[in-house]
Amino acid sequence: MQMRKPGNSGLEVSAIGLGCMGLSFGYGPATEKSEGIKLIRSAFDQGVTFFDTAECYGPFVNEELVGEALVPFRDQVVIATKFGFQDGDSTKPLDCRPERIRAVAEASLKRLKTDRIDLFYQHRVDPGVPVEDVAGTVRDLIQEGKVKHFGMSEASAQSIRRAHAVQPVAVLQSEYSLWWREPEQKVLPTLEELGIGFVPFSPLGKGFLTGAIDATTAFDKTDFRNVVPRFSEENRKANAGLVDVLGKIATDRDATRAQIALAWLLAQKPWIVPIPGTTKLHRLNENVGAAAIDLSADDLAAIEVALHQITVVGERYPAHMQQRIDR
Ligand SMILES: NC(=O)c1ccc[n+]([C@@H]2O[C@H](COP(=O)([O-])OP(=O)(O)OC[C@H]3O[C@@H](n4cnc5c(N)ncnc54)[C@H](OP(=O)(O)O)[C@@H]3O)[C@@H](O)[C@H]2O)c1
């Protein structure tokens, strides 16, 4: 697989990474550990060198899974993890106090079975702690060799600038896909200006863009999508037009919808690296295949025209989580 440099921090990773969250958290029951390890190692065998986890995925068990799976290739991969929630529990308030960040770093290093975190993200901006203090704490961890790069997630352009002035932000990770393009307004221009890379999460629209989900899909009772307004039965029905459009483009290109959704992201900027998540080997293979698809200017224009005829409905987070983004 081709490599990409997300920003000018020196990071270099495979053009498509692997989001590991769903193996333990968010989308129904966790995958059995040996199966999760097999999937992560298969990703590496297919050229993936960028793996995404977080303290709060599980919590804790996803970091353990990723750490164990990557031990044999540790020096050939980039491991990204995140801090930010009280007790590592994403249902609790944020806690980005310097002492808490330090404690998470130590615990994450142990769980990941490593001596350095390649990319350490602030998961959400904490209104109780100035981003300058967060950036300063990560700067200290970098000086101590425990962390290699600083990242932020779902931060506003203004917070990115403030943090970047204290410790250069290597990468921003926020939602971006064919059905959530808001980062194009302010965030992407800011990243381009500052030389910061961009890692779109939920690049497949949490599965919706692939066509595998429709209005009749019943999610497991523990699946986060049950409380996401965009995934209400009514909104899934209303957003089906987008899946149809993607299907037509995919057929024309002899590709799948998932591949077109990922290739579209790759075509936006050379410093973008999407991290699709899957628990299934055949889908991993399909998603990795998107790196070989080069959408032409005509393809991109056709997608643009088609998207203009569609209005996506439904918020992408429930109200209490919506407050935590774009701070
Ligand atoms: N920073 C943040 O706040 C944040 C938030 C959310 C996610 N993330 C990160 O971003 C990663 C990716 O995001 P995501 O998992 O939310 O969403 P995603 O990658 O857009 O979609 C994942 C969903 O799509 C399904 N899927 C994957 N490939 C498919 C294919 N080829 N065909 C059909 N269905 C497919 C998966 O189901 P199967 O498992 O059944 O294949 C899963 O339910 C996460 O793993 C996590 O590391 C970060």
Side-chain angles (χ1 to χ4, degrees):
M1 172 164 359
Q2 314 91 299
M3 300 294 280
R4 284 196 165 199
K5 290 183 178 156
N8 59 17
S9 66
L11 263 179
E12 190 170 13
V13 293
S14 53
I16 291 181
L18 179 66
C20 298
M21 177 186 79
L23 290 166
S24 314
F25 181 71
Y27 297 142
T31 299
E32 207 267 311
K33 193 172 181 186
S34 63
E35 291 300 310
I37 289 176
K38 203 192 283 179
L39 186 115
I40 292 170
R41 291 187 178 164
S42 170
F44 177 77
D45 290 343
Q46 294 178 55
V48 174
T49 67
F50 190 30
F51 296 86
D52 190 75
T53 180
E55 178 197 31
C56 70
Y57 297 164
F60 314 124
V61 290
N62 194 248
E63 282 189 331
E64 286 167 0
L65 173 74
V66 170
E68 186 172 336
L70 295 176
V71 163
F73 337 104
R74 176 64 190 97
D75 294 338
Q76 297 164 68
V77 297
V78 169
I79 303 179
T81 192
K82 315 182 191 79
F83 60 86
F85 294 100
Q86 202 180 94
D87 304 323
D89 180 344
S90 58
T91 65
K92 291 189 178 174
L94 290 155
D95 183 356
C96 293
R97 291 169 302 136
E99 58 269 37
R100 171 72 188 145
I101 298 174
R102 289 193 147 276
V104 178
E106 295 300 337
S108 292
L109 283 168
K110 286 203 185 80
R111 286 190 290 267
L112 291 168
K113 297 183 176 51
T114 185
D115 60 354
R116 79 279 180 194
I117 295 165
D118 300 310
L119 176 55
F120 205 26
Y121 290 105
Q122 180 181 26
H123 212 145
R124 292 287 183 274
V125 170
D126 180 350
V129 182
V131 284
E132 288 82 358
D133 294 358
V134 172
T137 306
V138 178
R139 179 193 57 206
D140 294 347
L141 289 166
I142 291 173
Q143 276 163 10
E144 291 161 31
K146 292 177 177 169
V147 168
K148 293 293 175 201
H149 297 280
F150 175 37
M152 298 177 86
S153 178
E154 289 287 353
S156 66
Q158 193 194 12
S159 293
I160 294 165
R161 276 185 198 284
R162 283 173 48 197
H164 191 73
V166 176
Q167 165 60 44
V169 177
V171 160
L172 178 81
Q173 179 181 132
S174 292
E175 184 162 354
Y176 183 42
S177 70
L178 282 164
W179 78 342
W180 180 250
R181 298 181 60 181
E182 208 260 355
E184 292 170 7
Q185 303 303 312
K186 286 190 193 151
V187 167
L188 287 183
T190 304
L191 300 183
E192 187 145 43
E193 178 197 325
L194 300 176
I196 298 172
F198 188 48
V199 172
F201 76 69
S202 301
L204 303 173
K206 297 180 166 58
F208 187 78
L209 298 173
T210 68
I213 293 167
D214 64 19
T216 66
T217 305
F219 297 114
D220 182 87
K221 66 179 187 316
T222 61
D223 194 307
F224 166 67
R225 288 169 292 198
N226 286 313
V227 297
V228 174
R230 192 165 281 193
F231 278 90
S232 71
E233 191 181 326
E234 190 183 35
N235 288 340
R236 275 181 271 154
K237 209 177 280 174
N239 291 326
L242 177 55
V243 178
D244 291 344
V245 161
L246 256 170
K248 288 192 190 90
I249 297 163
T251 306
D252 286 350
R253 288 294 314 234
D254 200 17
T256 67
R257 291 182 183 88
Q259 289 174 330
I260 297 297
L262 295 170
W264 179 84
L265 284 167
L266 291 171
Q268 299 309 302
K269 299 285 176 191
W271 38 270
I272 285 183
V273 179
I275 47 164
T278 182
T279 55
K280 301 183 174 61
L281 286 168
H282 69 279
R283 288 179 170 171
L284 170 69
N285 198 269
E286 175 186 339
N287 297 345
V288 164
I293 299 177
D294 247 334
L295 293 177
S296 68
D298 284 352
D299 292 329
L300 292 168
I303 292 173
E304 208 61 43
V305 168
L307 288 179
H308 266 111
Q309 290 152 24
I310 285 167
T311 307
V312 175
V313 296
E315 297 288 352
R316 65 191 178 103
Y317 276 118
H320 71 285
M321 293 175 76
Q322 193 77 20
Q323 293 163 2
R324 291 183 182 154
I325 55 184
D326 196 32
R327 275 180 176 150

